[in-house]
Amino acid sequence: MAIIVQNLPVPFDRRVWLECRSLVDRGYDVTVVCPQGEGTGPSQVVDGVRILAYPAYAPGGSALGYLVEYAWSFLSTARLLRTARRDGPFDALQACNPPDIFWPIARWLRRRDGTRFVFDHHDLCPELYLSRFEGTRGAQYKGLLLLERETFRAADRVTSTNESYAAIASSRGGKPPEHVSVVRTGPDPDRLRRHEPVPDLRRGRRHLVAYLGVMGPQDGVDLALAAADVVVNRMGRDDVAFTFMGSGDSYDELVRRRDELGLADAVHLPGRVPDDFVRDVLSTADVGLCPDPLNPLNDVSTMNKTMEYMAFGLPVVAFDLRETRVSAAGAAHYVRPNDVDEYARALTSLLDDPARRSEMGRQGRERVERHLAWEHQQEGYVRVFDELVGRTADTAPLADAGA
């Protein structure tokens, strides 16, 4: 079988990598087509997963830039899939969004080979557009709705990351509820767990506060930076160090703004970092930040970083969003949406209350282990493919279960 990913390389995309490993463990032959990441070549096999990658091309964050990027990705993906197909037809194809552009490939493979199509529903592209560009519901928005609708129409099954997305797959996408499965992006609690802290990461300060994730206009890292400004420059707290890990379209602007605010000593922006660095930071930190603002996308989206903080036993400070409450429950302190001053006060109150931090962290870790971990999600995910290709639970793994 084949999996298409456009917005992140594999295995860096944690959800897709968990999916790949689950399918390989079940006996499926998995090929992934994705953009190249740092240090990866055009072809490699990792843990039994064949990865075919094309050079990433992202000319900028404008609407025209995205159009060029997606055209390049579509053509590159089609070329690599055609190359991979020489080894035999695919039993199933999974496409992950954003963007919602790969349904023509799915239709072509169905006509040619009878390949079944699974849409792995990561994002709501129309809402992403409204949240990122603050646009009106004009031609671009209507175009994204059309692409989304065609993707749903082409899909035999949909795997949605939460109940809100599943509801949209049924209402806006017209999918029968029995063809939609909720598969949350649960962390691996064996791999994501607290290790020994690394005191040097606090950079001589008492507390460390962490952010992990994408840094785009809709992700709210600018609000986290504004809260750090309140904590350090207005509250006079010289005992708090911040480390914001990740990259994205807003990264350069965030570095510039940090320096304008005189926060270079307090706020570390290392960019995209290795897993070992993430582990050390989250094992040392006192609080994890989820500054995602209230907008049409974020209110109904599940944030992976929330559950990763919880896996490390970190309490979370988050704006009060619907799906964030579903994920974090009592592991987060919820703040009135988009209120930077209240966010800063909530953060410092947690830093000054170690007993509360400990209890929230315990609740978060327990919630991951009992409900959210990938081990609780993977059975339903793999069952989607077993049903589509006619495999049963007692079928022995087959080396040629799908190209």
Side-chain angles (χ1 to χ4, degrees):
M1 66 161 294
I3 296 177
I4 298 171
V5 189
Q6 189 278 335
N7 66 326
L8 286 174
V10 173
F12 183 80
D13 188 313
R14 297 184 187 278
R15 174 184 174 90
V16 175
W17 189 240
L18 289 169
E19 292 172 340
C20 290
R21 294 293 305 275
S22 296
L23 290 169
V24 168
D25 289 346
R26 181 70 177 92
Y28 287 96
D29 181 8
V30 179
T31 295
V32 175
V33 175
C34 65
Q36 290 183 20
E38 294 182 11
T40 61
S43 179
Q44 58 186 323
V45 177
V46 181
D47 293 345
V49 179
R50 182 188 184 193
I51 302 172
L52 302 178
Y54 54 87
Y57 180 61
S62 67
L64 178 60
Y66 278 111
L67 181 63
V68 174
E69 175 187 348
Y70 292 160
W72 165 259
S73 300
F74 182 91
L75 294 173
S76 299
T77 297
R79 175 180 59 84
L80 290 176
L81 281 174
R82 191 169 184 175
T83 299
R85 188 188 166 278
R86 294 172 185 166
D87 296 331
F90 304 113
D91 290 337
L93 170 72
Q94 171 180 305
C96 313
N97 78 332
D100 296 328
I101 61 173
F102 296 110
W103 54 269
I105 295 176
R107 289 190 181 278
W108 178 75
L109 287 173
R110 178 185 285 121
R111 286 195 301 268
R112 187 179 182 99
D113 301 323
T115 301
R116 311 302 295 274
F117 178 40
V118 176
F119 174 37
D120 198 27
H121 193 194
H122 294 193
D123 267 310
L124 299 173
C125 292
E127 282 77 7
L128 177 59
Y129 170 79
L130 292 177
S131 301
R132 188 180 184 93
F133 296 107
E134 298 181 353
T136 61
R137 297 173 185 257
Q140 293 94 333
Y141 175 76
K142 292 176 181 177
L144 291 171
L145 284 175
L146 173 63
L147 290 173
E148 180 191 73
R149 184 163 58 251
E150 291 301 320
T151 301
F152 280 128
R153 287 181 61 186
D156 296 289
R157 293 287 298 270
V158 176
T159 52
S160 296
T161 56
N162 60 40
E163 296 288 352
S164 294
Y165 279 29
I168 287 174
S170 295
S171 61
R172 198 159 76 194
K175 303 306 292 183
E178 62 270 20
H179 289 173
V180 181
S181 301
V182 174
V183 180
R184 297 184 179 277
T185 311
D188 180 352
D190 293 328
R191 188 179 66 85
L192 301 181
R193 61 168 57 247
R194 205 169 185 91
H195 293 251
E196 286 297 315
V198 182
D200 287 348
L201 291 172
R202 298 190 183 101
R203 306 191 298 281
R205 302 183 183 225
R206 181 180 179 185
H207 299 293
L208 177 63
V209 175
Y211 172 87
L212 171 65
V214 179
M215 297 182 176
Q218 74 278 6
D219 297 301
V221 190
D222 57 329
L223 300 180
L225 184 61
D229 177 46
V230 173
V231 170
V232 175
N233 291 329
R234 284 174 41 191
M235 295 183 175
R237 296 288 296 254
D238 59 3
D239 59 340
V240 185
F242 297 83
T243 296
F244 295 170
M245 299 171 286
S247 188
D249 293 340
S250 298
Y251 176 79
D252 291 340
E253 172 61 22
L254 289 166
V255 172
R256 185 191 66 78
R257 181 60 177 158
R258 176 200 64 181
D259 295 344
E260 286 180 350
L261 294 170
L263 292 172
D265 290 338
V267 180
H268 184 35
L269 282 158
R272 186 174 289 178
V273 293
D275 287 349
D276 287 349
F277 187 85
V278 172
R279 179 201 64 198
D280 289 344
V281 169
L282 297 187
S283 297
T284 308
D286 299 292
V287 176
L289 299 183
C290 291
D292 310 271
L294 176 64
N295 59 39
L297 176 70
N298 290 345
D299 195 39
V300 293
S301 296
T302 298
M303 309 302 174
N304 292 343
K305 58 182 169 286
T306 307
M307 290 182 286
E308 296 196 3
Y309 298 150
M310 293 161 62
F312 278 87
L314 282 179
V316 177
V317 178
F319 292 121
D320 194 358
L321 308 181
R322 186 193 320 174
E323 282 294 338
T324 300
R325 275 192 177 271
V326 172
S327 298
H333 181 124
Y334 301 99
V335 175
R336 183 169 58 249
N338 309 355
D339 188 325
V340 169
D341 288 344
E342 186 176 336
Y343 198 91
R345 290 193 296 270
L347 172 59
T348 55
S349 72
L350 266 182
L351 292 176
D352 295 337
D353 192 343
R356 185 176 176 223
R357 291 204 314 269
S358 177
E359 174 58 21
M360 290 171 66
R362 184 196 65 77
Q363 289 185 36
R365 176 69 190 184
E366 182 180 88
R367 185 162 173 75
V368 167
E369 291 177 344
R370 293 188 178 182
H371 305 290
L372 299 175
W374 180 249
E375 66 181 284
H376 304 304
Q377 309 298 321
Q378 64 178 345
E379 181 179 351
Y381 171 73
V382 173
R383 187 185 307 121
V384 170
F385 293 90
D386 287 347
E387 292 174 356
L388 282 180
V389 304
R391 298 181 68 181
T392 59
D394 58 353
T395 302
L398 300 174
D400 60 350

